[in-house]
Amino acid sequence: MKTSLIVCLLSLSLALTSLAQSPAAPQTSPAAGAPAAAGPAAVTSPGAPAAMSPGAPAQMGSIPPGQSPAAAAPATTAALSPAAESPPPAPEATPSGGILGSNWLIDKFHKGGPIMWPILIVSIVGLTVVIERIFWWSGRWFRRDPKRIEKVFTAIEHGDTTEASRLSRGSRDPVLRMMWNGLNHQHASLQGALQVAAGIEIKRAGRFLVVMDTLVTLAPLLGLLGTITGLIRSFSFLGNEELAVQAVTGGIAEALIATACGLGIAIFALIPFNFFTSRVANLEFELQTAATNLEVMLGAQTAAEEIKFAGQAPVSGKGSSI
């Protein structure tokens, strides 16, 4: 289980590191007006009046007398290419990753205020515990062996406790481990051995449930603390008219973000906590049922052996003479 916890923590650290990385710089597209500006300037030349656009005759007709067309050609070319003189439009900024982008997460995290750091720690611990418990209960599901339990009870019913102990030895099922412990210590104290073994199994199944219970209670309280600090920050700027609107809106955003994160963590941890608690209760019921059946069957077998031994014992004493 320690290995699984370390793996979970490392994976969470890598995920947070990848989220914290800023996105790559967007590539700027070439100016849209560059080809259009280069086209008329390249086609129109001072010595080629035939390549002018339709607006050229009106400008050619306004040549003052006494000036040759060749001298007026450069002015006509400059008038025909206004896009060459105007600066190219600024490239539009490429939108970021949106609501799922890492910059959005980091921005909301910073807007939530300093209370977001303990909330982040609580979320990492809660997610690690949930993943560890999921792996443990999944392994316990594959370790169940109800057929072997039935064979053990059948062997005890036939009076073969040695075979029952052999069948329950080396099993990973919690019920079989408890039964093996009881069968090996039945001559000393059967009930005590069963209680100790059942307590160990229940403690293993309920591990980290106290941590989850604490997180379910702590996360909303941290969110409420973030709400209070955000409102305090908002009302502290009400006296300044220049920064009042911006500061108040920022403080309210901080309060709402912290509250939402705290409630989200509590909801996330509450559902697995109730599920794991119910699984522990079911395991406790299975252990109690198996222990009771084992005590009843061994007690009935011991009583039958005592009756059989009492019936075979010779009757001593002399009969009375009247």
Side-chain angles (χ1 to χ4, degrees), residues 23 55 84 102 169 173 220 226:
S102 59
R169 183 187 300 112
D173 193 335

Side-chain angles (χ1 to χ4, degrees), residues 48 56 68 106 125 139 142 155 165 168 172 187 205 214 216 269 275 292 309:
S68 62
I106 296 175
V125 174
F142 289 108
S165 178
S168 59
R172 301 181 64 186
H187 301 290
T214 305
V216 169
F275 174 75
T292 303
F309 179 77

Side-chain angles (χ1 to χ4, degrees), residues 69-297:
T76 306
T77 305
L80 289 175
S81 58
E85 297 179 357
S86 61
E92 298 181 357
T94 306
S96 59
I99 193 171
L100 296 179
S102 59
N103 53 351
W104 183 86
L105 293 175
I106 296 175
D107 181 63
K108 295 301 179 183
F109 181 82
H110 288 300
K111 287 182 179 180
I115 201 65
M116 292 297 294
W117 289 104
I119 289 178
L120 177 64
I121 295 174
V122 167
S123 63
I124 292 175
V125 174
L127 184 60
T128 305
V129 171
V130 169
I131 294 175
E132 193 274 337
R133 288 289 87 190
I134 289 175
F135 280 119
W136 192 89
W137 282 105
S138 300
R140 193 257 171 187
W141 177 266
F142 289 108
R143 290 194 299 266
R144 295 188 61 185
D145 197 355
K147 295 183 178 180
R148 187 182 292 187
I149 294 175
E150 293 295 332
K151 292 180 181 179
V152 171
F153 282 129
T154 303
I156 294 174
E157 187 177 1
H158 288 87
D160 193 357
T161 56
T162 304
E163 179 66 16
S165 178
R166 186 189 65 82
L167 290 173
S168 59
R169 183 187 300 112
S171 177
R172 301 181 64 186
D173 193 335
V175 178
L176 287 173
R177 284 201 296 257
M178 181 198 65
M179 295 174 65
W180 179 80
N181 195 18
L183 289 172
N184 287 341
H185 299 86
Q186 60 176 332
H187 301 290
S189 176
L190 175 63
Q191 186 177 3
L194 292 176
Q195 288 179 356
V196 170
I200 293 174
E201 299 298 335
I202 293 173
K203 185 178 180 180
R204 289 177 181 174
R207 187 170 53 179
F208 299 130
L209 288 183
V210 177
V211 177
M212 294 187 65
D213 191 9
T214 305
L215 296 181
V216 169
T217 308
L218 182 61
L221 294 179
L222 289 175
L224 181 60
L225 180 60
T227 303
I228 300 300
T229 55
L231 293 178
I232 291 174
R233 180 173 173 271
S234 299
F235 287 112
S236 63
F237 288 96
L238 289 179
N240 192 348
E241 297 180 358
E242 297 180 356
L243 301 176
V245 177
Q246 184 178 2
V248 168
T249 54
I252 293 176
E254 175 182 342
L256 294 178
I257 290 172
T259 306
C261 291
L263 291 177
I265 294 172
I267 294 172
F268 170 78
L270 180 62
I271 298 176
F273 172 72
N274 290 334
F275 174 75
F276 295 144
T277 304
S278 64
R279 298 305 303 170
V280 172
N282 292 337
L283 177 61
E284 184 177 359
F285 175 76
E286 292 179 4
L287 292 173
Q288 290 180 354
T289 304
T292 303
N293 291 335
L294 185 62
E295 290 180 1
V296 170
M297 296 178 71

Side-chain angles (χ1 to χ4, degrees), residues 29-43 81 83-84 88-89:
S29 59
V43 173
S81 58

